[in-house]
Amino acid sequence: MLFLCLPFYLQAYSVIDYSFITKYEYGQMLYENPRGIGCNKCHGEKGEGKLIATYKGDKGNEKQLYGPKISNVTWEQFKHSLSQKENKSLFMPTYFLTNEELVSIHYYITNLKK
Ligand code: HEC
C-alpha cells in the first residue's frame, strides 16, 4: 500500500520541496525573484552595485541614481534595510520576506564568487 502511494507523494511534494536545491541556489532564486522586482535589477547580478538611472537635476546638470554594492553588508545592516518598518527608502521597494528568506538571500550575496 505504501508502495502505491509513494509516486503520488513525490509528485505532490516536488512543486514546493526546496530540499533538492542548495541554500545558495534558493538564495539566488529569491535574489532574482523576491515576489516583486528582482534585487539584481538595482544591485547588479552579483550585488556589486549598479547604475539604475541618469536624470537631469534642477540646474540641468546630469545626476545618477545608483543601487549600492550589497555583497559586503553585514547581517544586521541587511536585515535593517529590508525590514518593513525601518525601510524608509524612496527608491527601494518594500518587500515582505520571511526571516528564513532573508537569511538565504544574505547568504547568497555574501558568498558569491567574485
Ligand atoms: C528599484 C531599485 C531597487 C531594488 C529592486 C532593490 N533595491 Fe536595495 N537599494 C536600492 C537603493 C537606491 C538603495 C540605497 C539606499 C536607499 O536609497 O534606500 C538600496 C539599499 C539597499 C541595502 C542597504 C545597503 C547599505 O549599504 O546599507 C540593502 C542591504 C539592499 N538594498 C538590499 C536589497 C535586496 C536584498 C533587494 C531585493 C529583495 C533589493 N535591495 C532590491 C534600490 C533597490
Side-chain angles (χ1 to χ4, degrees):
M1 189 55 197
L2 184 70
F3 223 75
L4 287 169
C5 295
L6 209 58
F8 294 103
Y9 254 97
L10 291 176
Q11 205 171 21
Y13 271 93
S14 62
V15 186
I16 46 157
D17 191 356
Y18 293 115
S19 65
F20 293 117
I21 65 171
T22 62
K23 187 177 171 187
Y24 182 88
E25 288 166 335
Y26 183 49
Q28 177 174 25
M29 191 190 86
L30 287 168
Y31 183 71
E32 290 166 7
N33 191 7
R35 291 194 299 279
I37 174 169
C39 320
N40 55 332
K41 297 277 188 324
C42 293
H43 294 285
E45 293 308 317
K46 297 185 169 178
E48 72 277 23
K50 191 178 170 176
L51 178 64
I52 304 171
T54 53
Y55 58 98
K56 288 257 187 294
D58 306 338
K59 300 172 183 99
N61 52 328
E62 184 151 293
K63 294 199 159 201
Q64 297 180 322
L65 175 64
Y66 274 96
K69 175 179 175 172
I70 53 167
S71 55
N72 54 356
V73 294
T74 62
W75 167 243
E76 285 72 30
Q77 205 180 340
F78 184 82
K79 189 142 193 222
H80 177 84
S81 303
L82 289 166
S83 81
Q84 293 132 39
K85 288 187 203 102
E86 295 164 56
N87 171 20
K88 295 184 186 76
S89 172
L90 290 174
F91 300 109
M92 194 164 126
T94 300
Y95 292 94
F96 299 91
L97 297 161
T98 65
N99 193 60
E100 193 198 354
E101 289 170 330
L102 290 179
V103 168
S104 299
I105 299 174
H106 186 252
Y107 177 83
Y108 170 68
I109 57 169
T110 53
N111 285 283
L112 270 163
K113 292 169 195 83
K114 301 281 139 56

